[in-house]
Structures are given as C-alpha cells and as structure tokens.
Amino acid sequence: MPAEVFGPGYRFLPREEILSFEEIHRISRIATKLGVRKIRLTGGEPLLRRGLADLVAMLATVDGIDDIALTTNGVLLAHHAEALALAGLSRVTVSLDALDPTVFSRMNGVGAKVDRVLAGISTAANFGLPVKVNCVVQKDVNESEILPLVDWAKDSGVTLRFIEFMDVGETNGWSTEHVVPAAEILDRIRSRHPLVALPPNHTGETATRWRHADSDAEIGVIASVTAPFCQSCSRLRLSADGHAFTCLFNPTGHDLRPLLRGGAPDSTLAAAFAGIWSERTDRYSELRGETTQAKAEMSYLGG
C-alpha cells in the first residue's frame, strides 16, 4: 500500500462495512456446495485483522474445505503462528522480496525489518506449518536477490516462488521495462543450481515447478506476464467488504452484501455465485496492452 496514497490521513472503511467472520464463514460454506475446496486468506495484511485465528477455526469446520492457507508479509507471523496452527491453518505463504536489509527496507517502504519476517517463517515452521515464500522480481530493484534467496530457501527447506512483476492496480508504477521474464529468472538460478522439472500438482496450477537436482527443495516461477494462464484460472476473490472478483485485474466486483444482509436464503446466494462464475469472460493478462481498463489495487484483492 504505497505510503503516498495510503498515508496517515487515509480514511479506511468503517467497521460495519467489512464482512464479519460469520458472513465470511457463510459464504465459504455456500461456495463448497459449488466445488470450492481451498480457501486463502490474503490482504492487505490479514494478520492486522483482530482475532484472525478465530476465523481460521470457523473455516476449519466447513465440510468440503481441504486446505486453508494464509498469505502474509510475515512481520506479525511469529506472534500469531501458534494460534493459527492450533486453529487449523494448513499452510502459510510469506511475501519476501529480498534478504538484504537495505533492499528489503527500500521495497517495503514502511520500516519493516527482514529479521522479523525470517523469525516469523522460522516460528511458523516450528509449529508445523508448511511455509512457501513468494518473491516478486523487479528489474534493477531486487534482481540481485534471486540467487541469495534460492540459497537460503534450499538450506531452510522452504518452497520458493518467483513471480513476474505485474500491473496490478494503478499505483505501483508498473511498466514492461520493470519485468524480469521468468525465463531469465530460471537462467540465473541454473547458473548456480541444476534443476529438475516437476509435474503440476493440479489442473490450473499457476507456477511452473522445479526442484534442485541434489535435494527435494522446490522452486517455482509464475510467468503471469510473459505466459498468461487466464484460460485455466480457477480463483475467485472475496474482498473485505463483500465484493466477489473473478479476476485480479477487474476494476469492480459483484457486491454480495445486499444478499448477505438482506435476508436472502443460501440458495439465492449460491445462485448468485454460480451466475457470477459462469458468466465471467476475464482475459486481462492475455489481452495486456489491448485494454486500458482501470484495476483494483492488490491491497484490496490480495494475491
């Protein structure tokens, strides 16, 4: 959330406009009837939501949910890891774009310390939570961190994902000149580490997966700019204020709050969900450069 946009005077949503845990639980329960099997809690920063472990515990009771994941910047993870694990969290993904303190500080822009993130990762692993690390690579910003991150992740037993810098939202200053292609990222890694290709875990997986030739440590690359995967996308995002988005690049979603708070039965909500999903035509990444539509911010939709 860029400080020049979301500074001290920024007015966030009133609490009553944000979905309650009970409303999120209800939507999740209805979604499983339509085939949803995985839930990921994202942000902004989800660990800023008071009582998040309670939400995890509620979601863990939903029949049909096989996996509950959390994406976090890791700054508060050490404090919450035990409660999250006990509540039923399946795994955690930590955003970590650099190990070098100077590069890390310059990229996060809010004074966070990389040591706190690393402590959070270690603590999560100690409480039995599988950890994956995501790194967004930006040209002339953190390319130098690719190999150090690979070395660290291999030694730490952490799954690592490199993600091409995407044009999410309107405030991150994106241009094609800032993109480091996935092929170039892999070439850098192979210059030091021989890799063995791995098959996809499931249909629609976003990452191309590899492992080190001399270990089981896994690396993935998500080529969302140079090799879009719109046709196999199976993700639907629910914003904190109850809008359903069928694409990360949509400017607006479908507001479910009137149904949630207007007394609509589960069947009506299910029909709304089914209609939203079946009528989607999202292909922004495939059409990149051919459209100038505005986009919701990443901090609004999560990853």
Side-chain angles (χ1 to χ4, degrees):
M1 302 175 70
E4 62 272 19
V5 178
F6 302 97
Y10 186 81
R11 295 183 63 183
F12 290 92
L13 286 176
R15 174 66 64 178
E16 60 269 17
E17 293 188 24
I18 296 175
L19 295 185
S20 68
F21 288 170
E22 289 75 17
E23 289 170 328
I24 296 171
H25 176 268
R26 184 186 179 200
I27 288 178
S28 301
R29 178 171 50 78
I30 292 169
T32 63
K33 308 299 183 184
L34 302 172
V36 171
R37 295 292 175 264
K38 297 181 179 181
I39 291 178
R40 177 175 293 276
L41 302 172
T42 64
E45 173 47 49
L47 292 179
L48 290 176
R49 180 77 183 256
R50 186 177 301 135
L52 190 71
D54 294 334
L55 175 60
V56 172
M58 293 169 68
L59 296 175
T61 68
V62 177
D63 289 336
I65 295 299
D66 302 325
D67 184 87
I68 304 172
L70 173 79
T71 297
T72 171
N73 63 24
V75 173
L76 301 175
L77 184 57
H79 179 71
H80 293 284
E82 181 178 15
L84 291 167
L86 291 173
L89 190 70
S90 306
R91 54 198 174 95
V92 62
T93 298
V94 178
S95 300
L96 178 62
D97 296 329
L99 290 173
D100 180 87
T102 301
V103 178
F104 179 85
S105 177
R106 185 168 68 245
M107 294 188 73
N108 77 71
V110 294
K113 304 298 183 184
V114 69
D115 287 347
R116 288 192 64 181
V117 179
L118 296 177
I121 291 171
S122 177
T123 303
N126 288 340
F127 284 112
L129 289 172
V131 179
K132 182 189 300 178
V133 164
N134 283 347
C135 171
V136 177
V137 183
Q138 297 183 45
K139 196 172 195 65
D140 299 326
V141 177
N142 65 331
E143 289 168 288
S144 61
E145 294 296 294
I146 293 174
L147 288 177
L149 278 165
V150 171
D151 294 339
W152 167 81
K154 182 181 180 183
D155 292 341
S156 303
V158 170
T159 297
L160 181 61
R161 292 281 188 269
F162 290 105
I163 305 173
E164 291 179 341
F165 183 42
M166 292 186 291
D167 48 336
V168 291
E170 302 294 324
T171 62
N172 71 346
W174 185 89
S175 79
T176 55
E177 297 176 353
H178 299 154
V179 177
V180 180
E184 183 176 326
I185 294 172
L186 284 170
D187 285 344
R188 283 178 178 250
I189 298 171
R190 289 194 182 104
S191 70
R192 181 179 297 175
H193 299 280
L195 300 177
V196 177
L198 295 172
N201 278 317
H202 53 80
T203 302
E205 185 169 36
T206 58
T208 303
R209 300 168 55 237
W210 309 80
R211 69 167 177 83
H212 290 271
D214 59 352
S215 80
D216 291 329
E218 182 181 318
I219 294 173
V221 178
I222 300 177
S224 46
V225 176
T226 60
F229 37 80
C230 298
Q231 293 184 24
S232 62
C233 178
S234 61
R235 298 186 178 194
L236 184 144
R237 294 164 176 85
L238 179 69
S239 67
D241 62 352
H243 287 71
F245 288 79
T246 55
C247 179
L248 185 62
F249 300 98
N250 279 351
T252 58
H254 304 265
D255 192 358
L256 298 176
R257 281 185 308 177
L259 293 176
L260 276 170
R261 298 180 177 180
D266 287 0
S267 58
T268 300
L269 270 166
F273 254 126
I276 290 168
W277 188 254
S278 62
E279 295 171 10
R280 66 194 177 104
T281 58
D282 310 296
R283 292 178 55 225
Y284 177 86
S285 286
E286 293 179 352
L287 299 174
R288 185 175 277 108
E290 300 177 28
T291 177
T292 58
Q293 70 177 42
K295 302 178 291 294
E297 295 298 326
M298 177 70 87
S299 56
Y300 185 76
L301 290 186

